[in-house]
């Protein structure tokens, strides 16, 4: 059985992927510095799967600790989620973002190389396409201008991984560009628990529906889209997690360098998401229309042909299911939200 090191495994996407890895009979070792997560989510992963695994509080920048973990466990491949992810914060604290996301990844790869572990799946993002007008985005779409430091850290890491592969063909690498992950595990035991007021649409809607926040502000309805609100590609986090297993299976068998879009391939507007939430959760979501948010693109969604063809990837959950699972998670974890 392969041993997979999961960095950032206590986080939102990481914890859901840990569940799928364990359900797919992989062994896992998790590291996380809990900067944006809690150890509790790893205990929930054990509860959901009925499987025990080792996890460590460890920063990917901490070479000594990381080496000790590689020494102790025979790692076959790494799934690398650890990173800071706030677009707004990245522009305020660029050094923190470059240090954590770029230098952290370099450090991880150096240590992987030292221990002859040359297989990695990396969490990238649709933000690397910048403001490219070619919608839907294909993996080889010419990139537009990037407006955030966060997006630049993802693009830099992609380039670093490309250069590593060029320099040493033994590496096998899969870069996954996520679109908008939402939803939660059906059990309601793991999900997204943003600290403070959420920046993203789905957790915001869900907190309005639960009366934690008074009202949603929709960032404008004057875009050139059918209902005037922005269109995004929402993907259920469990579908996304399953995509990692497919990518991992491939890098373990083949010696490869791949880039894949992981999205649903379908675009939904803000108003569509609000009304889907109301319908799926039998609730109302109070909203008002406000001004545009700087840097927002009117429309983006993925062309998922490549992931479908090469990985047999399929995002099967629709937006109703995404909304239902989000609300279920939130309702089962009310104390977490109210205590903030
Ligand atoms: P998250 O914040 O829930 O998870 C990231 C985890 O990494 C957290 O548990 C955090 O504590 C940990 N971490 C951060 N820096 C670390 C470090 N130096 N050492 C060890 N652990 C560290 O975020 P997520 O939504 O699960 O995202 C996972 C990855 O996917 C991130 O790299 C993110 O940039 C990327 N991504 C996320 C989205 C999204 O919308 N959620 C979209 C595209 C890409
Ligand atoms: N959005 C909104 N109100 C909010 C948060 C988001 O109207 O409080 C809109 C935002 O303008 C965008 C869409 O919802 O068009 C998705 O935003 P999110 O931040 O979740 O994802 P991203 O813009 O990073 O794709």
């Amino acid at each position: 059985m392969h041993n997979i090191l999961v960095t950032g495994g206590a986080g939102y996407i990481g914890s859901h992927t840990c569940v799928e890895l364990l359900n797919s009979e992989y062994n896992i070792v998790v590291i996380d510095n809990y900067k944006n997560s809690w150890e509790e989510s790893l205990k929930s992963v054990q509860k959901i799967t009925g499987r025990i695994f080792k996890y460590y509080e460890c920063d990917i920048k901490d070479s000594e600790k990381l080496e000790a973990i590689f020494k102790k466990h025979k790692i076959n491949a790494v799934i690398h989620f650890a990173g800071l992810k706030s677009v707004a914060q990245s522009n305020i604290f660029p050094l923190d973002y470059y240090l954590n996301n770029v230098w952290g990844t370099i450090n991880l790869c150096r240590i992987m190389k030292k221990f002859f572990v040359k297989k990695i799946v990396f969490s990238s993002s649709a933000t690397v396409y910048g403001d490219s007008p070619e919608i839907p985005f294909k993996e080889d779409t010419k990139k537009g201008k990037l407006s955030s430091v966060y997006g630049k850290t993802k693009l830099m890491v992609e380039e670093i991984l490309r250069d590593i592969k060029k320099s040493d063909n033994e590496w096998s690498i899969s870069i996954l560009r996520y679109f908008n992950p939402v939803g939660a595990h059906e059990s309601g035991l793991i999900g997204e628990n943003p600290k403070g007021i959420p920046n993203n649409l789905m957790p915001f809607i869900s907190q309005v529906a639960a009366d934690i926040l008074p009202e949603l502000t929709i960032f404008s309805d004057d875009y050139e889209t059918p209902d005037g609100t922005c269109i995004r590609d929402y993907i259920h986090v469990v579908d996304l997690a399953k995509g990692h297993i497919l990518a991992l299976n491939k890098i373990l068998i083949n010696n490869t360098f791949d880039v894949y879009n992981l999205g649903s391939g379908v675009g939904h507007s803000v108003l569509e998401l609000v009304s889907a939430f109301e319908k799926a959760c039998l609730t109302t979501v109070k909203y008002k229309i406000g001004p545009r948010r700087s840097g927002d693109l009117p429309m983006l969604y993925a062309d998922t042909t490549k992931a479908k063809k090469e990985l047999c990837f399929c995002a099967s959950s629709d937006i109703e299911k995404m909304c239902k699972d989000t609300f279920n998670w939130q309702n089962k974890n009310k104390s977490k939200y109210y205590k903030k």
Side-chain angles (χ1 to χ4, degrees):
M1 218 190 269
H2 286 109
N3 294 326
I4 310 303
L5 178 73
V6 184
T7 75
Y12 174 46
I13 305 168
S15 57
H16 288 82
T17 304
C18 287
V19 168
E20 298 308 319
L21 283 163
L22 294 165
N23 286 342
S24 308
E25 304 299 322
Y26 282 106
N27 286 329
I28 62 171
V29 177
V30 174
I31 59 168
D32 203 298
N33 65 0
Y34 304 123
K35 180 104 184 154
N36 196 35
S37 56
W38 291 264
E39 186 188 335
E40 194 190 328
S41 67
L42 294 171
K43 293 195 173 132
S44 297
V45 168
Q46 298 193 334
K47 202 166 164 191
I48 292 168
T49 59
R51 288 190 58 194
I52 301 296
F53 55 87
K54 272 277 189 202
Y55 55 84
Y56 300 91
E57 181 166 356
C58 171
D59 194 297
I60 51 167
K61 302 189 291 307
D62 184 340
S63 308
E64 221 172 284
K65 225 173 182 178
L66 210 47
E67 285 207 20
I69 292 165
F70 273 88
K71 232 175 241 164
K72 184 157 183 205
H73 301 275
K74 164 103 200 63
I75 302 295
N76 300 102
V78 174
I79 304 187
H80 177 32
F81 295 103
L84 298 173
K85 66 166 180 176
S86 161
V87 168
Q89 292 286 304
S90 75
N91 289 339
I92 302 170
F93 303 108
L95 289 174
D96 292 350
Y97 272 70
Y98 286 121
L99 182 71
N100 196 73
N101 293 6
V102 181
W103 160 242
T105 304
I106 292 173
N107 197 44
L108 172 70
C109 291
R110 277 173 58 226
I111 292 166
M112 286 174 65
K113 188 173 170 203
K114 188 165 170 184
F115 287 85
F116 304 101
V117 180
K118 296 185 178 179
K119 295 177 189 297
I120 185 169
V121 177
F122 172 62
S123 300
S124 190
S125 165
T127 51
V128 300
Y129 294 107
D131 63 359
S132 166
E134 292 170 40
I135 310 292
F137 293 146
K138 282 197 178 122
E139 287 79 355
D140 57 3
T141 290
K142 192 167 178 291
K143 298 188 184 69
K145 198 166 154 278
L146 299 191
S147 61
S148 74
V149 169
Y150 169 70
K152 289 178 193 168
T153 67
K154 291 292 175 194
L155 194 55
M156 280 181 193
V157 171
E158 286 198 6
E159 288 305 311
I160 290 166
L161 292 174
R162 204 181 292 276
D163 287 338
I164 293 177
K165 173 70 178 173
K166 259 192 227 155
S167 74
D168 176 356
N169 197 37
E170 281 178 11
W171 281 78
S172 193
I173 298 173
S174 194
I175 290 173
L176 305 180
R177 293 181 182 152
Y178 312 154
F179 281 68
N180 291 54
V182 295
H185 192 265
E186 226 169 27
S187 64
L189 288 172
I190 50 173
E192 189 175 20
N193 187 9
K195 292 185 176 169
I197 294 177
N199 293 311
N200 296 112
L201 181 62
M202 182 66 106
F204 206 111
I205 289 179
S206 183
Q207 292 194 24
V208 172
D211 269 340
I212 299 168
L213 293 171
E215 141 180 272
L216 167 73
T217 300
I218 294 182
F219 298 139
S220 184
D221 63 354
D222 64 359
Y223 286 96
E224 279 188 29
T225 59
D227 65 21
T229 65
C230 293
I231 291 175
R232 293 289 180 275
D233 181 333
Y234 299 96
I235 174 169
H236 196 295
V237 65
V238 173
D239 286 333
L240 183 62
K242 288 179 177 161
H244 289 73
I245 312 303
L246 300 171
L248 177 68
N249 293 342
K250 184 169 178 200
I251 61 160
L252 284 170
I253 295 168
N254 301 303
N255 188 325
T256 180
F257 181 92
D258 293 310
V259 181
Y260 294 109
N261 284 340
L262 292 188
S264 67
V266 182
H268 289 288
S269 74
V270 177
L271 281 171
E272 277 172 359
L273 195 65
V274 169
S275 103
F277 199 99
E278 290 182 327
K279 194 170 144 218
C281 305
L282 306 172
T283 180
T284 49
V285 178
K286 217 174 147 213
Y287 69 83
K288 65 171 188 232
I289 306 294
R292 290 185 176 196
R293 180 173 71 176
S294 149
D296 270 346
L297 297 176
M299 171 155 71
L300 62 92
Y301 58 95
D303 182 321
T304 55
T305 312
K306 189 174 173 206
K308 272 188 194 139
K309 193 167 153 220
E310 295 183 14
L311 297 178
C312 297
F313 172 70
C314 167
S316 54
S317 297
D318 60 16
I319 48 169
E320 272 77 24
K321 167 90 176 132
M322 299 179 208
C323 296
K324 225 180 218 167
D325 288 344
T326 302
F327 207 43
N328 176 47
W329 148 256
Q330 189 177 276
N331 287 334
K332 286 204 169 133
N333 295 274
K334 271 198 171 129
S335 59
K336 286 198 183 89
Y337 288 89
Y338 284 104
K339 116 182 132 193
K340 280 181 230 142

